[in-house]
Amino acid sequence: MGALGVKAGSPGWISLVESESGAVEQLFPAVESVLANSELPLSAFGGLMVCEGPGNLLGLRTAALAAETWRAAAINPGWQLWSYRSLALLQYCVRVDFPDLLNLDVLLDWRRGHWFRCQLREGEWREADTLSAAEVKADSEITVFHVRGRGNWPAPSVPAQPYGYQPDRLCEWLASGIAEVAPVAQFEVRGEPLKEYVRWSGEPHGR
């Protein structure tokens, strides 16, 4: 699942394009569509925000490379650059959608038979980790959600509710006041982000 959009000072999107698959092939047609719908040139943008993962590495790297290319082309030298983690957005969406659940696991496909895991315990998120199929254990006290990355990969061996990654809710997350994003000098793709994340304020760097 991928999404590309344009937002301004308002909470919502000016223009948004989503794709279920083929994000690499659809990236540049999506950019053309978003720009046409927003009636804005790239030079009018104040900045770029790119997801650094985890997720499909080819898709993430293509998006990061495209953003770096636009920046290097000096379309707008004053662009602010930001990155965010897909797991952080996923955690926000799950908590909003299931506010009464205080103990849950979210398993996001990493590679075949392995998952990224987000653990909520007593209403607090623990540091995300990874699990192999042998490490996935059933617990009647824990609600498990599974976010599928590849359609042909096996699901976890424990009962799990399907849940979808929702990049279209990025604006909602940013407007919530609890979104964690990182100002960056250049875009990178990491499996385990090491940057220091801060609350989103919408202000340029240094303010």
Side-chain angles (χ1 to χ4, degrees):
M1 177 66 183
L4 186 146
V6 179
K7 78 176 295 292
S10 59
W13 297 101
I14 295 175
S15 179
L16 177 69
V17 174
E18 299 179 77
S19 64
E20 290 293 337
S21 61
V24 175
E25 297 86 351
Q26 296 180 29
L27 174 61
F28 295 103
V31 171
E32 293 179 356
S33 177
V34 164
L35 293 178
N37 292 338
S38 67
E39 299 182 346
L40 291 172
L42 274 174
S43 58
F45 290 8
L48 294 173
M49 182 176 291
V50 172
C51 179
E52 67 174 23
N56 179 285
L57 282 179
L58 182 57
L60 293 169
R61 287 171 176 164
T62 301
L65 178 60
E68 280 297 308
T69 300
W70 294 326
R71 186 181 69 127
I75 293 173
N76 186 338
W79 268 354
Q80 303 293 311
L81 306 181
W82 302 86
S83 68
Y84 70 94
R85 296 168 293 180
S86 55
L87 293 182
L89 175 58
L90 187 58
Q91 289 173 346
Y92 165 79
C93 293
V94 170
R95 287 297 281 141
V96 170
D97 292 346
F98 301 94
D100 295 333
L101 293 181
L102 300 181
N103 296 283
L104 59 86
D105 285 351
V106 181
L107 303 181
L108 170 67
D109 285 354
W110 173 26
R111 58 184 191 225
R112 182 179 292 274
H114 293 77
W115 297 270
F116 288 101
R117 177 178 63 174
C118 300
Q119 300 180 82
L120 185 74
R121 298 295 183 268
E122 300 303 323
E124 298 291 334
W125 289 108
R126 296 180 178 178
E127 185 174 354
D129 59 6
T130 58
L131 288 176
S132 67
E135 295 172 312
V136 177
K137 306 296 183 183
D139 186 334
S140 60
E141 301 297 320
I142 306 298
T143 302
V144 179
F145 295 92
H146 175 219
V147 182
R148 186 173 292 280
R150 296 289 183 91
N152 60 344
W153 284 359
S157 58
V158 299
Q161 300 182 35
Y163 190 79
Y165 178 58
Q166 302 168 70
D168 58 303
R169 295 177 68 176
L170 178 63
C171 280
E172 174 191 333
W173 183 45
L174 295 177
S176 71
I178 60 174
E180 294 185 343
V181 300
V184 295
Q186 65 180 33
F187 290 119
E188 301 176 20
V189 174
R190 299 178 184 271
E192 298 289 338
L194 302 177
K195 304 183 188 69
E196 179 179 352
Y197 284 75
V198 297
R199 290 286 174 86
W200 169 256
S201 66
E203 296 292 330
H205 301 180
R207 291 188 182 179

